[in-house]
Amino acid sequence: MKILIYGAGVVGCTYGWQLSKAGCDVTVLVRKGQKEFVQKNGIHIICSDFREKVKKDTDIIFKPTVIDELSSNNDFEYIIVSTNKLQLSTILPSLSKSAGKANVVFFQNNWDVFTEIDKYLKPEQYFFAFPFMVGGGKEDKSIHCAISGLKYSNTPLGEKDGRITPRVEKLSIILDKANLKPVISNQILVWLITHYAVAAGLSAGIMSAGSASKFIENTAIIKTTMKAIREGLAICERMGINPKTEKANRLYLLPLFISVPIAKKIYSNDALQLMFDGHINHSPAEIRQMIDDIIDSGVKYAVITSNLAQLKSYISSNQTNKSK
């Protein structure tokens, strides 16, 4: 199976490396000017893998095929778009011209760009997935990643309309072969939209605390975070998306005296801490955009987002203090 990873980010390269180990022919699309460097040096990946009982640390040079231009007569079966949300508007026009017959898999946070995607691609050209079990960041051109082994860490994927199609099943088979725990969803949009609301609130809380380890020690910020997540989920309901249909959201709907101790236990997990710290340290612009998206949607759907706004103000004051 020929797979293109669109963008040499942490998540895309980690999944690409794992799919390559499972027998896929993996190509990575890099920015103009990077091709020769990546071809010569490969992609340095330092990985903490928690999928087995004992954590496995790996330091490898991943050497996929590298391209810096995509042609519409390409022979890829799947194009996995793993860039962050902020880059999507510049990618879509290019994809509309160059995707060819490949199945485009959007592998990123999404909240409000579904109609935007439809301006450039036909429904039969794309579907959605999410790299829920991988996270991390880049340092000195090296990728530092974690692969979670938690029960609910998996790779959800599915068609926008909920159908279970051969192309989704085929990708699921290869993800399973790579031990990336695919779960085919018949409501992938519900999963993505509610996850966005949760991730915005949770990232805001962790960023406010300064790190994942400080977050789990700060009961006040955890409480505010839980309430901020509920605000986001309330917006989802106003949008016609029912958060209760996804098991992962149930924690945030529990009374605080129950949810806060559970959250402390869950988020003390080593893999999650590495993933969270990687996200807040290396994707702060995307997190700020996610927070603003939820606050703006709160205005649109008449949901007060005072807790999320409070976390946003903590982040702003932290950054001001750091710059002094």
Side-chain angles (χ1 to χ4, degrees):
M1 182 186 291
K2 290 197 73 173
I3 295 177
L4 174 69
I5 305 296
Y6 200 109
V10 173
V11 164
C13 287
T14 305
Y15 268 80
W17 165 46
Q18 293 294 300
L19 288 167
S20 176
K21 286 172 67 179
C24 289
D25 182 352
V26 174
T27 298
V28 176
L29 176 71
V30 299
R31 291 193 191 103
K32 294 281 185 185
Q34 290 187 336
K35 181 180 173 182
E36 287 186 9
F37 177 86
V38 179
Q39 274 182 331
K40 180 183 176 184
N41 298 286
I43 298 166
H44 185 203
I45 299 177
I46 300 166
C47 179
S48 297
D49 188 342
F50 293 84
R51 287 175 293 181
E52 304 299 331
K53 287 183 179 178
V54 178
K55 181 182 76 162
K56 182 182 178 184
D57 291 315
T58 306
D59 187 328
I60 64 114
I61 302 296
F62 174 41
K63 284 216 158 188
T65 304
V66 184
I67 61 172
D68 60 5
E69 195 169 350
L70 180 62
S71 166
S72 60
N73 64 355
N74 70 77
D75 59 351
F76 297 111
E77 194 163 351
Y78 295 93
I79 296 173
I80 294 177
V81 179
S82 58
T83 59
N84 76 35
K85 179 184 186 287
L86 301 178
Q87 295 169 289
L88 194 57
S89 60
T90 57
I91 287 167
L92 285 170
S94 170
L95 270 178
S96 70
K97 296 172 186 171
S98 59
K101 295 179 180 177
N103 295 293
V104 179
V105 188
F106 288 103
F107 216 58
Q108 55 194 174
N109 283 305
N110 274 310
W111 174 253
D112 54 1
V113 296
F114 302 104
T115 52
E116 186 74 10
I117 290 170
D118 284 333
K119 291 178 187 174
Y120 293 94
L121 297 172
K122 296 173 183 174
E124 61 269 22
Q125 287 183 282
Y126 71 90
F127 62 97
F128 294 97
F130 193 83
F132 195 45
M133 60 191 296
V134 168
K138 275 188 174 181
E139 287 178 31
D140 301 324
K141 296 185 179 177
S142 298
I143 284 172
H144 294 254
C145 64
I147 306 177
S148 173
L150 287 174
K151 181 181 177 182
Y152 293 111
S153 294
N154 50 39
T155 308
L157 67 162
E159 297 280 359
K160 189 177 178 180
D161 62 7
R163 290 179 304 128
I164 296 174
T165 56
R167 64 179 181 173
V168 167
E169 290 182 312
K170 191 170 184 180
L171 184 59
S172 177
I173 289 167
I174 194 67
L175 285 166
D176 188 55
K177 196 174 175 183
N179 193 22
L180 291 166
K181 292 170 66 179
V183 176
I184 296 176
S185 171
N186 61 4
Q187 53 171 22
I188 193 68
L189 293 198
V190 174
W191 194 98
L192 287 168
I193 291 169
T194 58
H195 173 75
Y196 194 98
V198 170
L202 186 56
S203 299
I206 294 167
M207 218 168 171
S208 296
S211 70
S213 60
K214 289 177 182 174
F215 175 73
I216 59 167
E217 299 297 328
N218 194 321
T219 302
I221 284 184
I222 293 175
K223 283 181 177 176
T224 305
T225 300
M226 289 292 168
K227 289 187 277 189
I229 290 170
R230 286 182 193 169
E231 291 166 353
L233 295 177
I235 294 166
C236 293
E237 285 203 76
R238 292 282 175 92
M239 294 165 65
I241 302 288
N242 184 359
K244 294 176 184 174
T245 60
E246 281 295 338
K247 283 183 183 177
N249 297 325
R250 292 177 188 174
L251 166 65
Y252 310 107
L253 303 171
L254 293 170
L256 289 176
F257 75 90
I258 298 174
S259 63
V260 169
I262 294 173
K264 283 186 176 185
K265 185 174 181 181
I266 291 172
Y267 298 135
S268 65
N269 175 268
D270 289 344
L272 290 185
Q273 295 228 329
L274 284 170
M275 289 161 72
F276 291 147
D277 284 339
H279 194 207
I280 68 167
N281 290 325
H282 300 280
S283 302
E286 184 183 33
I287 292 171
R288 284 193 290 270
Q289 182 62 59
M290 291 171 74
I291 294 167
D292 286 342
D293 284 345
I294 302 298
I295 291 172
D296 291 346
S297 294
V299 174
K300 181 178 178 180
Y301 291 97
V303 174
I304 296 168
T305 54
S306 55
N307 290 284
L308 187 57
Q310 186 178 337
L311 293 174
K312 182 183 176 182
S313 70
Y314 287 164
I315 295 167
S316 298
S317 64
N318 286 350
Q319 288 168 341
T320 303
N321 290 335
K322 281 180 184 177
S323 63
K324 284 180 180 177

